Amino acid sequence: MLLVADNLHIINPVVQKALETLDPGPIQEITERCEAAGAGAIDINTGPLSRNPEEKMTFMVETVQSVTNLPILIDTANPKAMEAGLQANKNISIINGFSLEPQKLEKILPLAKKYKSDIIGYLLYPDSRVPNDSSERCNLAIQILQAIQDIGLDESHLIIDPIIVPLSWQNGNQQAKEILTFIHNLPDLFGFQVKTIAGLSNLTSGLISGHGNMKKKLLVERTYLPMLASAGLDMVLFNIFHNQTVEAAKACVPLISPRIFSWAEL
Amino acid sequence: MLLVADNLHIINPVVQKALETLDPGPIQEITERCEAAGAGAIDINTGPLSRNPEEKMTFMVETVQSVTNLPILIDTANPKAMEAGLQANKNISIINGFSLEPQKLEKILPLAKKYKSDIIGYLLYPDSRVPNDSSERCNLAIQILQAIQDIGLDESHLIIDPIIVPLSWQNGNQQAKEILTFIHNLPDLFGFQVKTIAGLSNLTSGLISGHGNMKKKLLVERTYLPMLASAGLDMVLFNIFHNQTVEAAKACVPLISPRIFSWAEL
C-alpha cells in the first residue's frame, strides 16, 4: 500500500501564503518532512487557482521536485494548472483526477492520454453527487472505465477512488462498509487488477476540533485503514504527519503481502 | 464484536498457584480487572487438569461468578472438568470447545446438548492439524456443522473458530489472509449467520519477549483486529489488559455496526 501525503494542501495557511508569494522554502520543508515521515507520493492540492494557474502550479511542482524524486499527484480541477503541472514535472505524475462531470471528461481526461499519465477516476455522478452504496459505485466505475477506453488510454493508467464520505453523514458508517465491499469486489467486476486510492481524512471531516476529538479522529483513521488494506486498497491519501496512522499503514503491508512475513519488517 | 478476556490462563503463574492452592483472591482480582478493562466474557483456561478436575474447575467457575455476571467460556479438553464447570456455572456458559478429534466429538460435544450451551467448534483435522487455506476451512466447517446437526443441537449454538496461526509460520501471513476470506464467506457457505470467534494472541505467538517486540506484537494485534472485524468476526479472544487492542476493538464496533454512527460512542 502506497502512502500518499495530502499535506501540501491550499487550506493550510502556510501553503497558501507560500503559493501566493511564490516562496519555495515552506513548500520544500513540508515536502522533505513528508518523505521522512514515510510518504511514497506527494499530492499537490492547489484548489482551482483562478489567478495565474500555470505559473502557480509550475512553481509548486518545480519546488516539490527540487527536494524529492517521489511521484507527484497533481490535484486541481483547473485544466490549465493541470497541464502546466504535467509539463513541469520530471517525477512520475498522477492526475488527481477526473469524474463523469462533463468539464472533467472534456478537459482533464485527455491530458492523461497526452502525457501518458496515471489518472484517478472519482466515483461521482456527473453532477458530483456521491453514490449511495457499492452497487452504485460499480455502475459508476464501469462508466469511468468506459471513458478511459473511449479515449484510447491503457486501462493500467486508471486508479479508482470510491469516495469516502464523512462518518458524520446519516449513512456514514454504512457508506464506509459499502466502500470496503466495493474495493473487495472491484477486481471481479473489471476482470483485472485495477488500482484503487482513497482519501482517509474525508472519513472524519466535520468532526469539530479539540484534543479529545483529535484522539478519536486518529483512532478511527487507524482502525478503518486496516479494513481498507485487507479489502485490497492500493494507495491511501492522508495527513502523513499522523504518526500512528503511518504506523498502522506500515503494519498492514506485511500482513497483506504475498511475501513471507518477517517481524523485521515492522 | 464481543471482547473475550483470555487472562485467566493456567500459563499465568498467578493463576496456576491460585488454582493449585484453591485461593480465590487472585482469580477474583484478575476477573474484576478484566471486566473493568472492557471484557464482555471471561475465558477460563485451566489446561487438562489431570488431578481433581471437577473440584478445580468448580472452584474456578464459582470464583469467577462470585465477582461477575459475564458469560464464561469453559476452556479445557478434560470432559470431567468441562461438565463440572457447566454444572457450577450460573452465568451463561460457552464450551470452548470441540473439533473433529474423536475424543472431543464423543465426550465434549454431547455436553453442549445436555446443558443447552453454546459451543465453539475448532476448524482442525481429527489429528489436530491446522487447515492450510480458506477452502480447507470451509470443508472442516461443514463437517463441524454436520456434527452439531447429528447430535440434535440447534445450529444457533455453534460458534466457529477458524484457528489463527502464528505469523512466524512460513505461511503465517497467507493464513491470516485466508482466515479473513473464510470469515467473509462463511455466511454464504452455511446459508445463515453463524457466529465466529478467533484467538488473536495466536497471531504473534513465538515472538521472543522484550520491549521492542511487545510493541510490534501490539501493533500487529491492533492492525489485524479491524481486518477480522470487517470480515465479520463476532467474538475475539485476547489479553484484555492490552489497552490499545481494546481501544482498536471498541473503535471497530461503530464502524461496522448497522446503527447510525455517533462520535459519542468512541
Side-chain angles (χ1 to χ4, degrees):
Chain A
M1 195 164 49
L2 188 76
L3 313 192
V4 184
D6 73 0
N7 300 68
L8 284 182
H9 198 298
I10 193 71
I11 60 165
N12 177 347
V14 175
V15 173
Q16 192 183 9
K17 191 177 165 207
L19 183 57
E20 197 58 47
T21 58
L22 302 181
D23 175 15
I27 306 295
Q28 289 170 323
E29 195 235 325
I30 293 171
T31 304
E32 287 170 335
R33 284 176 57 208
C34 287
E35 187 162 9
I42 307 285
D43 186 83
I44 299 179
N45 188 329
T46 58
L49 289 178
S50 45
R51 285 180 301 162
N52 307 322
E54 292 97 337
E55 180 193 24
K56 285 187 173 164
M57 187 57 90
T58 300
F59 159 77
M60 284 296 283
V61 166
E62 287 181 346
T63 303
V64 169
Q65 72 183 6
S66 72
V67 292
T68 185
N69 296 317
L70 290 176
I72 295 174
L73 284 72
I74 307 174
D75 193 349
T76 179
N78 185 324
K80 288 181 181 169
M82 183 63 78
E83 182 149 19
L86 289 163
Q87 282 178 346
N89 192 19
K90 294 181 178 49
N91 299 359
I92 291 169
S93 294
I94 299 172
I95 296 177
N96 190 9
F98 86 111
S99 68
L100 298 173
E101 191 189 329
Q103 160 82 358
K104 294 221 170 76
L105 284 173
E106 286 159 26
K107 304 285 190 184
I108 300 286
L109 179 56
L111 296 173
K113 168 86 174 164
K114 182 170 175 186
Y115 291 90
K116 294 184 176 54
S117 164
D118 281 3
I119 184 165
I120 295 170
Y122 308 133
L123 300 189
L124 292 169
Y125 286 100
D127 62 1
S128 295
R129 267 187 313 120
V130 175
N132 285 303
D133 56 25
S134 171
S135 158
E136 290 188 24
R137 284 182 172 83
C138 288
N139 288 335
L140 291 171
I142 288 166
Q143 292 176 60
I144 285 280
L145 178 62
Q146 188 63 51
I148 290 279
Q149 289 166 338
D150 286 349
I151 204 164
L153 185 66
D154 193 275
E155 296 157 351
S156 63
H157 284 297
L158 176 59
I159 304 168
I160 293 277
D161 183 338
I163 308 293
I164 289 178
V165 308
L167 282 169
S168 56
W169 287 16
Q170 181 166 312
N171 65 346
N173 63 343
Q174 285 306 305
Q175 284 273 34
K177 282 172 74 174
E178 293 290 327
I179 284 167
L180 298 175
T181 303
F182 169 77
I183 295 171
H184 189 267
N185 293 342
L186 186 58
D188 280 347
L189 179 73
F190 275 16
F192 63 92
Q193 205 64 41
V194 61
K195 285 172 283 186
T196 47
I197 189 170
L200 191 58
S201 56
N202 284 7
L203 191 69
T204 57
S205 75
L207 182 66
I208 294 152
S209 291
H211 178 69
N213 280 351
M214 180 50 86
K215 217 183 138 197
K216 286 183 183 181
K217 177 186 164 74
L218 295 176
L219 174 59
V220 165
E221 270 191 13
R222 66 176 183 266
T223 305
Y224 190 53
L225 184 52
M227 298 182 183
L228 287 167
S230 67
L233 189 73
D234 297 291
M235 303 165 69
V236 58
L237 182 75
F238 69 107
N239 183 334
I240 202 89
F241 299 154
H242 291 170
N243 296 336
Q244 289 179 297
T245 313
V246 172
E247 193 182 56
K250 288 184 175 171
C252 289
V253 175
L255 279 171
I256 61 175
S257 163
R259 284 176 295 116
I260 292 174
F261 179 86
S262 161
W263 282 104
E265 286 187 47
L266 289 173
Chain B
M1 194 163 50
L2 189 77
L3 314 191
V4 184
D6 73 1
N7 301 67
L8 284 182
H9 198 298
I10 193 73
I11 61 164
N12 176 347
V14 174
V15 173
Q16 190 182 12
K17 192 176 166 209
L19 183 57
E20 196 57 48
T21 58
L22 302 181
D23 174 14
I27 305 294
Q28 289 170 324
E29 194 234 326
I30 293 171
T31 304
E32 286 170 335
R33 283 177 58 209
C34 287
E35 187 163 6
I42 307 285
D43 186 83
I44 298 179
N45 188 329
T46 59
L49 289 179
S50 45
R51 285 179 303 161
N52 307 323
E54 292 96 335
E55 180 194 22
K56 285 186 173 164
M57 186 58 88
T58 300
F59 159 77
M60 284 295 282
V61 167
E62 288 181 344
T63 303
V64 169
Q65 71 184 7
S66 72
V67 292
T68 185
N69 295 317
L70 291 176
I72 296 174
L73 285 72
I74 307 174
D75 193 349
T76 179
N78 185 324
K80 288 180 181 169
M82 183 63 77
E83 182 148 19
L86 289 164
Q87 283 178 343
N89 191 19
K90 295 181 178 50
N91 299 359
I92 291 169
S93 295
I94 299 171
I95 296 176
N96 190 8
F98 86 111
S99 69
L100 299 172
E101 191 190 329
Q103 160 82 0
K104 294 223 170 76
L105 283 174
E106 288 158 24
K107 303 286 190 183
I108 300 285
L109 178 55
L111 296 174
K113 168 87 174 162
K114 183 171 175 186
Y115 291 91
K116 295 182 175 54
S117 164
D118 281 4
I119 184 165
I120 295 170
Y122 308 133
L123 300 189
L124 292 169
Y125 286 101
D127 62 1
S128 296
R129 268 187 311 119
V130 175
N132 285 304
D133 56 24
S134 171
S135 157
E136 290 188 27
R137 284 182 173 84
C138 288
N139 289 334
L140 292 170
I142 288 167
Q143 293 176 60
I144 285 281
L145 178 61
Q146 188 64 52
I148 290 279
Q149 289 166 337
D150 287 348
I151 205 166
L153 185 66
D154 193 274
E155 296 156 353
S156 64
H157 284 297
L158 176 60
I159 303 167
I160 293 277
D161 183 338
I163 308 294
I164 289 178
V165 308
L167 282 170
S168 56
W169 286 17
Q170 181 166 313
N171 65 347
N173 63 344
Q174 285 306 304
Q175 284 272 35
K177 281 172 73 174
E178 293 289 329
I179 284 168
L180 298 175
T181 302
F182 169 76
I183 295 172
H184 189 268
N185 294 342
L186 186 57
D188 280 347
L189 179 73
F190 275 17
F192 62 91
Q193 205 63 41
V194 62
K195 285 172 285 186
T196 47
I197 190 170
L200 191 58
S201 56
N202 283 7
L203 191 69
T204 57
S205 75
L207 182 66
I208 294 153
S209 292
H211 177 69
N213 280 351
M214 180 51 83
K215 214 182 140 200
K216 287 183 182 181
K217 177 187 164 72
L218 295 177
L219 175 59
V220 165
E221 270 191 13
R222 66 175 182 267
T223 305
Y224 189 53
L225 184 52
M227 298 182 181
L228 288 167
S230 67
L233 189 73
D234 297 291
M235 303 165 69
V236 58
L237 182 75
F238 69 106
N239 183 334
I240 201 88
F241 299 155
H242 291 169
N243 297 336
Q244 290 179 296
T245 313
V246 172
E247 194 182 56
K250 288 184 175 172
C252 289
V253 175
L255 279 172
I256 60 176
S257 163
R259 284 175 295 116
I260 292 174
F261 179 85
S262 162
W263 283 104
E265 286 187 48
L266 290 173

